C-alpha cells in the first residue's frame, strides 16, 4: 500500500484563488513528520511547510498552511491567493521514526498545479 | 546560513562507465545526508542516507553505492552504469530525524 497518496495528478486554478492540494498518509508510528515541497520546472525541491505528528496547531508559513487532520490521516496543503509563480509540481512527503535513525522521506507522486491568469 | 552544493548539474555517460556525483554542505556540522533519485514525472525515491562519517544505509538494492569521507561530503558512485540508472539525482541534508530536508539543485544523468 502506498504510504503517501496524492489523488490529484493535475489542477488548474485561476490566479488569486485559494488552492487545496490533497494528501493522505499511512503509518503505524506515533511520531512522524509531514512535509510539502514545491518543484518548479527547473527541478530544485523547495521546502514549503512542516507538520509534526504531535503538533496540535496547523502549521502556517506565509501563504501556505497545512490542514492537518490526524484521525483522517490527512495533511492537505492550502495556498491562499495563488500567484502565477505557484505553478509547479507539489509533493507531499512523510518521515517516520520507526527506523530509529535518519530515515529519509517517503514521497507521494505529486500534483501538477497550473495557475491561470 | 546553510547551503548545499551538488555537481555536476547535468551528465551524459555511456553504459558501463563509472559515476561519481558529489554533494557538500556548508554552515552546519554533523548533518544527516541523503541521496534520492527521481524518475521522469515521478516522486523521489530514497537511495542512501547517512548519519555520520563512514555510516551509510542503503534503502534500495541497486547498481549504486554511497560514501561519506568527510562530515559534510556525500558521494554517489557506480562502477558500471546501466541504462536504468538514468534520472534526476538529488542530495539533501537535515539537522535530524523528522526535520525538514533541504535539497541541492540536482544532477540530470543520462545514460547512452
Amino acid at each position: 500500500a502506498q504510504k503517501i497518496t496524492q489523488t490529484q495528478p493535475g489542477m488548474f486554478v485561476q490566479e488569486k484563488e485559494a488552492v487545496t492540494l490533497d494528501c493522505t498518509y499511512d503509518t503505524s508510528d506515533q511520531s512522524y513528520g509531514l512535509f510539502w515541497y514545491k518543484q518548479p520546472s527547473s527541478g530544485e525541491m523547495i521546502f514549503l511547510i512542516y507538520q509534526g505528528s504531535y503538533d496540535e496547531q496547523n502549521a502556517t508559513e506565509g501563504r501556505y498552511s497545512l490542514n492537518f487532520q490526524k484521525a483522517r490521516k490527512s495533511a492537505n496543503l492550502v495556498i491562499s491567493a495563488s500567484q502565477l509563480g505557484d505553478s509547479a509540481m507539489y509533493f507531499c512527503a512523510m518521515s517516520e521514526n520507526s527506523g530509529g535513525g535518519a530515515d529519509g522521506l517517503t514521497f507521494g507522486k505529486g500534483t501538477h498545479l497550473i495557475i491561470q491568469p | 546560513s546553510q547551503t548545499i552544493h551538488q555537481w555536476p548539474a547535468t551528465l551524459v555517460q555511456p553504459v558501463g562507465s563509472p559515476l561519481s556525483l558529489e554533494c557538500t554542505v556548508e554552515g552546519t556540522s554533523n548533518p544527516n545526508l541523503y541521496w534520492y533519485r527521481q524518475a521522469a514525472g515521478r516522486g523521489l525515491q530514497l537511495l542512501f542516507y547517512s548519519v555520520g562519517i563512514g555510516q551509510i544505509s542503503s534503502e534500495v538494492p541497486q547498481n549504486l553505492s554511497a560514501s561519506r569521507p568527510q562530515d559534510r561530503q556525500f558521494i554517489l558512485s557506480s562502477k558500471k552504469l546501466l541504462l536504468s540508472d538514468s534520472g534526476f539525482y538529488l542530495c539533501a541534508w537535515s539537522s535530524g530525524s523528522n526535520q525538514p530536508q533541504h535539497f541541492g539543485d540536482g544532477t540530470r544523468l543520462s545514460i547512452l
Side-chain angles (χ1 to χ4, degrees):
Chain A
Q2 288 186 36
K3 289 206 166 189
I4 297 287
T5 302
Q6 294 180 252
T7 58
Q8 306 150 310
M11 286 186 70
F12 289 87
V13 174
Q14 286 298 118
E15 189 180 8
K16 300 181 183 177
E17 289 184 352
V19 182
T20 297
L21 304 181
D22 295 340
C23 173
T24 56
Y25 61 92
D26 182 25
T27 181
S28 56
D29 282 8
Q30 296 300 309
S31 176
Y32 53 90
L34 296 159
F35 307 80
W36 277 93
Y37 285 84
K38 173 184 178 181
Q39 187 177 40
S41 56
S42 53
E44 73 259 40
M45 292 290 285
I46 302 168
F47 166 70
L48 297 178
I49 197 166
Y50 163 77
Q51 180 86 40
S53 57
Y54 293 120
D55 295 339
E56 294 186 354
Q57 290 196 332
N58 287 342
T60 60
E61 289 286 349
R63 293 188 299 114
Y64 304 107
S65 60
L66 199 152
N67 184 0
F68 181 45
Q69 298 189 38
K70 195 169 183 177
R72 299 174 62 181
K73 293 189 175 178
S74 162
N76 297 341
L77 176 70
V78 179
I79 306 174
S80 64
S82 58
Q83 302 170 357
L84 295 178
D86 293 333
S87 295
M89 284 292 290
Y90 288 80
F91 291 96
C92 180
M94 176 175 65
S95 64
E96 299 170 276
N97 237 8
S98 57
D103 291 338
L105 298 177
T106 301
F107 283 81
K109 294 184 178 180
T111 295
H112 189 190
L113 175 65
I114 297 174
I115 308 298
Q116 298 175 311
Chain B
S1 63
Q2 302 89 357
T3 56
I4 178 167
H5 302 281
Q6 188 180 344
W7 66 94
T10 59
L11 189 60
V12 180
Q13 293 283 95
V15 170
S17 63
L19 173 74
S20 180
L21 302 181
E22 191 163 341
C23 172
T24 60
V25 180
E26 296 176 0
T28 185
S29 58
N30 197 31
N32 293 337
L33 297 173
Y34 308 84
W35 278 110
Y36 290 87
R37 177 169 59 201
Q38 184 179 29
R42 306 295 296 274
L44 275 65
Q45 180 186 35
L46 178 67
L47 300 176
F48 301 95
Y49 68 88
S50 171
V51 300
I53 295 174
Q55 300 179 60
I56 309 294
S57 295
S58 174
E59 289 293 304
V60 181
Q62 62 220 318
N63 186 39
L64 302 169
S65 62
S67 62
R68 184 170 177 174
Q70 299 179 43
D71 180 44
R72 289 170 288 177
Q73 184 184 27
F74 206 22
I75 298 171
L76 183 69
S77 303
S78 174
K79 292 182 179 179
K80 284 187 176 182
L81 286 167
L82 306 172
L83 285 174
S84 57
D85 292 324
S86 292
F88 188 48
Y89 289 82
L90 286 147
C91 180
W93 75 271
S94 74
S95 58
S97 296
N98 286 346
Q99 294 300 311
Q101 294 184 14
H102 303 278
F103 288 80
D105 290 339
T107 295
R108 294 196 185 278
L109 175 63
S110 298
I111 310 301
L112 302 178

